[in-house]
């Protein structure tokens, strides 16, 4: 069985007239790096909140269909039961940190789960090192940059050792370099620790190269899903309003002019540069 | 960076800061009790002087002076009221003893302010939160306290941004009569409230996602443990209480006036 | 015209956020101010409409020092759109929201009505005229905020992080809108670290770091200088990244435009005969 299985899920927020998610079915396997994209208001944020049961438990509203995560029926469990399986990281780092020191924030989930002090110490230290914030563990959240704050937010869900980390536009408030560092931390967790990652992002320029499973949503439904190279070269993706990475666009423009760089659609500037060098016979 | 940097909590470390906040609180209570016991200048002055080493070791002289200056006005008020009531109730006479007692009452007030200010100046909010968590106070209460410390400066900064945004649209807060001025603040208050609500929802989501309420017995990363300094302070507390009781019961305390043969 | 001369600014907490900034923005120019969070970008642009006044140095708008004028008076010529629309929306309807500034500036009700209609149409939000701004989506709220500033038709427009949280379509619409304003000879100053967006708009780029201006010039020059960008926590635009890696082919490095890139790459193909 897949790690995450969603079947015919529809959800309407209380008081809303139209469903935010409409008949979504989805399978995510263990160890995947999934990227969900789509225009604002397409339902991707709502979908994120279904993985740990914030939708519907926190938001109420009307839900139909099935959500199974790590073999657990999410609709029947509390959000706090899911915390050990799904870690959710939100857009604004400021509103996710509520303790007065970083390591206390990272320990917050474990404290709620009633972990022993020795166990907690071990996991917190490990997590702080994984996310590169061990050296600043005793500072207050006011004393660190936005990028560091977002790493604390990641660490604080990672400490509970979830199977899956879901990140909802985690870098939209950050400068490009800090954003890149965050993505690298996530990518490493995925590759080295085998944690399944679900990342919601507009900016494919920065993120397309990490993913092996791309989902394009529009108007509450999944419109395209699969290998990012196929999807990004699909005309429909552009029509939905997804920002195609410049390297991919350039590849397509050259192809249209009869300059064929091979079948592999590049997802990053590195890939495109290599393909160009090869085509020019410089390799 | 902003106007409100001063509000933001930062970690400070000193032998006094590192003391267990619970013991420090007991110390405040002890000084409080001792100060209530006496009505004469000498023991109260002793209590006042005894706290000065705390101020200097913690290196909070500046802040301490500021809080003392703040208390000075009230102290003067207490002194005058004391003198005046004594003057009238004693039938329009006025003795050295009256001045002495009025001074003692004022000094008592100053000692109380001093002990509380030493406590708050040397106890960082995270320590205080921790002390709350580990006493019998329900965790929700302790959590509310630390969250408030965390978010008050954030909200203050946000209020500043909102004011700037509305000023940039021609809002003049200081214009008009009193009623108009109050109304001027509506465009600032509404966005601030809306944003605070939005913030608290996001906060609640983040808490839920981190297993808030998962088990009845919450644990804690930090344990407040008593160190050597805490035991020394505890001993000091006992000495103060014993000495104060002894003097209170067995020793008749001379007045300052008696030294001058008055 | 905006003229900053050796502007220093210290917050009451004694933190010096600007350490001698000099910059002249001519009428009709489009300038992007870039740099790391905390570099002083926002502090600097808040001087343009007098929200902050320099501690040392002078800040002149159209030849008049900002210390001689109130924020309300300066704002007539310098419109400031804040990053988060939720920091300014408070009215019951979109119409009232857009009319707010006009009333503050003392326009009479007929003019207010006209200008509101004009602004609503300019940003294609006329259908929401009677809707509460709080019921709109994030992108729509952002447009209401923009309309509420454009309504009084200021000569200069300051945009603080206009692309944050915006999707591709919204950014594209914003870019076209900025071009439209530019053709009307408006002065535009955008604070941003969205390097791809800046590469597409290709404005004059001013780079700030630690309260100082460290670079000032055309986009293709500054956005393709890796050392400069590293200093400001910005990454190269993707097109420039490709050309940096192709430098062994004798191609120029300072390329940020997709179409220019395409032409160059095709020419190289012909040159190398492959």
């Amino acid at each position: 069985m897949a790690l995450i299985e969603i079947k015919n899920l529809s959800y309407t927020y209380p008081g809303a007239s139209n469903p935010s998610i409409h008949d979504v079915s989805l399978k995510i396997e263990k160890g995947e790096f999934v990227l969900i994209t789509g225009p604002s208001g397409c339902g991707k944020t709502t979908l994120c909140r279904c993985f740990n049961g914030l939708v519907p438990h926190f938001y109420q509203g009307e839900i139909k269909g099935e959500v199974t995560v790590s073999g657990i029926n999410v609709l029947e469990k509390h959000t706090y039961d899911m915390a050990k399986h799904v870690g959710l990281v939100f857009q604004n780092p400021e509103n996710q940190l509520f303790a007065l020191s970083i390591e206390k924030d990272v320990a917050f989930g474990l404290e709620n789960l009633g972990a022993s002090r020795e166990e907690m110490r071990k996991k917190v230290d490990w997590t702080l090192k994984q996310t590169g914030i061990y050296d600043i563990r005793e500072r207050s959240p006011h004393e660190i940059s936005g990028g560091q704050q977002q790493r604390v937010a990641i660490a604080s869900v990672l400490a509970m050792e979830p199977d899956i980390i879901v990140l909802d536009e985690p870098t939209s408030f950050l400068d490009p370099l800090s954003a890149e560092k965050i993505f690298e931390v996530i990518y490493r967790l995925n590759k080295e620790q085998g944690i399944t990652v679900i990342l919601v992002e507009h900016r494919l320029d920065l993120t397309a190269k990490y993913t092996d499973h791309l989902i394009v949503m529009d108007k509450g439904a999944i419109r395209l899903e699969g290998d990012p190279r196929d999807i990004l070269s699909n005309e429909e993706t552009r029509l939905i309003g997804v920002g195609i990475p410049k390297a991919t666009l350039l590849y397509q423009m050259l192809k249209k002019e009869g300059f064929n760089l091979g079948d592999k659609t590049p997802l990053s500037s590195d890939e495109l540069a290599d393909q160009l060098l090869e085509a020019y016979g410089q390799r | 960076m902003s106007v409100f940097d001063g509000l933001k909590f930062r970690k400070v470390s000193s032998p006094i800061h590192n003391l267990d906040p619970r013991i420090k609180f007991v110390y405040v209570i002890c000084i409080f009790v001792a100060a209530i016991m006496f009505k004469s200048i000498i023991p109260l002055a002793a209590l006042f002087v005894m706290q000065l080493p705390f101020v200097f070791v913690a290196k909070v002289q500046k802040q301490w002076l500021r809080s003392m200056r703040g208390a000075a006005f009230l102290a003067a008020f207490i002194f005058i009221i004391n003198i005046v009531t004594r003057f009238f109730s004693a039938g329009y006479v006025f003795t050295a003893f009256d001045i002495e007692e009025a001074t003692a009452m004022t000094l008592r007030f100053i000692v109380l302010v001093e002990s509380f200010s030493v406590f708050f100046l040397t106890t960082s909010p995270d320590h205080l939160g921790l002390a709350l968590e580990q006493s019998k106070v329900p965790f929700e209460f302790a959590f509310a306290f630390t969250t408030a410390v965390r978010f008050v400066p954030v909200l203050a900064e946000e209020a500043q941004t909102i004011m700037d945004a509305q000023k940039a649209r021609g809002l003049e807060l200081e214009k008009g009569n009193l009623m108009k001025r109050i109304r001027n603040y509506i465009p600032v208050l509404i966005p601030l409230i809306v944003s605070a609500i939005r913030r608290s929802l996001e906060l609640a989501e983040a808490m839920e996602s981190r297993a808030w309420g998962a088990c009845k017995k919450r644990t804690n990363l930090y344990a407040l443990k008593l160190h050597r300094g805490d035991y020394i302070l505890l001993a000091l507390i006992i000495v103060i209480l014993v000495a104060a009781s002894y003097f209170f019961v067995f020793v008749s305390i001379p007045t300052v006036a008696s030294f001058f043969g008055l | 015209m905006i003229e900053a001369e050796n502007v220093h600014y210290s917050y009451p907490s004694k933190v010096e956020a600007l350490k001698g900034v000099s910059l002249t923005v001519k009428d009709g120019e489009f300038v992007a101010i870039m740099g790391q969070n905390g570099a002083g970008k926002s502090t600097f642009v808040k001087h343009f409409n007098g929200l902050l006044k320099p501690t040392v140095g002078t800040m002149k708008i159209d030849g008049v020092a900002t210390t001689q004028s109130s924020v309300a008076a300066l704002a007539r010529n310098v419109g400031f759109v804040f990053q988060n629309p939720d920091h300014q929306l408070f009215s019951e309807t979109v119409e009232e929201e857009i009319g707010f500034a006009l009333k503050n500036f003392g326009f009479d009700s007929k003019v207010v009505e006209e200008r509101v209609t004009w602004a609503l149409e300019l940003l294609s939000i006329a259908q929401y005229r009677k809707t509460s701004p709080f019921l709109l989506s994030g992108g729509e709220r952002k447009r209401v905020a923009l309309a509420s500033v454009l309504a009084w038709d200021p000569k200069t427009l300051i945009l603080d992080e206009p692309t944050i949280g915006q999707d591709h379509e919204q950014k594209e619409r914003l870019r076209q809108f900025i071009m439209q304003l530019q053709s009307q000879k408006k002065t535009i100053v955008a604070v941003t670290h969205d390097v791809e967006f800046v590469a597409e708009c290709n404005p004059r780029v001013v780079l700030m770091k630690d309260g100082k201006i460290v670079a000032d010039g055309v986009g293709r020059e500054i956005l393709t200088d890796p050392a400069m960008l590293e200093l400001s926590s910005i990454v190269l635009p993707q097109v420039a990244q490709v050309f940096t890696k192709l430098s062994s082919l004798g191609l120029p490095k300072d390329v940020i435009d997709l179409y220019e890139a395409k032409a160059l790459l095709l020419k190289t193909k012909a040159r190398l005969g492959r």
Side-chain angles (χ1 to χ4, degrees), chain C residues 220-235:
Chain C
R220 66 178 297 153
E221 199 178 286
I222 293 177
L223 294 181
T224 52
D225 183 344
M228 217 32 128
L229 295 183
E230 174 97 43
L231 204 68
S232 321
S233 285
I234 298 174
V235 290

Side-chain angles (χ1 to χ4, degrees), chain B residues 1-3 5-6 158 161-172 175 186-187 190-191 194-195 198-199, chain C residues 11-13 15 17 38 46 49 51 71-72 75 80 82 86-90 97 100-101 104-105 134 141 148 152:
Chain B
M1 254 180 282
S2 85
V3 190
D5 268 1
E158 187 151 51
T161 308
I162 294 170
M163 268 197 269
D164 282 350
Q166 304 299 36
K167 279 202 245 166
R169 295 202 294 164
L171 177 70
E172 288 175 275
K175 209 168 139 184
I186 292 176
I190 292 178
V194 169
S195 141
R198 194 164 290 167
R199 219 179 256 287
Chain C
Y11 280 101
S13 58
V15 178
K46 276 184 191 166
N49 65 348
L51 282 171
V71 178
F80 198 127
F82 279 69
D86 297 333
H87 284 154
Q88 58 155 288
L89 302 182
F90 74 99
E97 190 67 48
F100 174 69
N104 286 334
F105 290 136
F134 298 107
R141 287 204 298 272
S148 79
W152 76 85

Side-chain angles (χ1 to χ4, degrees), chain A residues 25 31 52 175 267:
Chain A
S25 296
N52 74 342
D175 60 63
L267 297 177

Side-chain angles (χ1 to χ4, degrees), chain C residues 131-222:
Chain C
T131 314
S132 159
F134 298 107
L135 294 176
L136 301 178
S137 73
E140 288 159 349
R141 287 204 298 272
K142 203 136 181 159
R143 269 188 282 161
V144 173
L146 187 55
S148 79
V149 172
L150 281 167
W152 76 85
D153 203 21
K155 212 171 86 180
T156 301
L157 199 63
I158 300 162
L159 305 167
D160 192 6
E161 297 288 3
T163 63
I164 273 194
Q166 300 280 294
D167 68 20
H168 178 68
E169 293 273 273
Q170 289 163 339
K171 278 190 205 176
E172 184 52 29
R173 206 176 306 155
L174 179 73
R175 190 177 69 84
Q176 284 169 5
F177 190 70
I178 289 177
M179 279 165 58
Q180 189 186 332
L181 291 172
Q182 248 190 306
S183 69
Q184 295 164 12
K185 297 276 172 267
K186 298 268 184 224
T187 312
I188 298 161
V189 179
V191 172
T192 181
H193 41 220
D194 190 332
V195 62
E196 295 295 344
F197 184 76
V198 175
E200 280 169 31
C201 299
N202 201 16
R204 170 179 170 196
V205 177
V206 170
L207 218 53
M208 287 186 73
K209 178 167 173 71
D210 295 334
K212 280 184 186 149
I213 290 178
V214 289
D216 180 357
V218 293
R220 66 178 297 153
E221 199 178 286
I222 293 177

Side-chain angles (χ1 to χ4, degrees), chain B residues 52-69:
Chain B
L52 292 181
F54 286 84
V55 175
F56 290 106
V57 175
K59 297 205 178 78
V60 291
Q61 303 90 309
K62 262 194 200 155
Q63 296 94 314
W64 177 80
L65 260 178
R66 212 178 305 145
S67 69
M68 286 289 110
R69 227 179 293 149

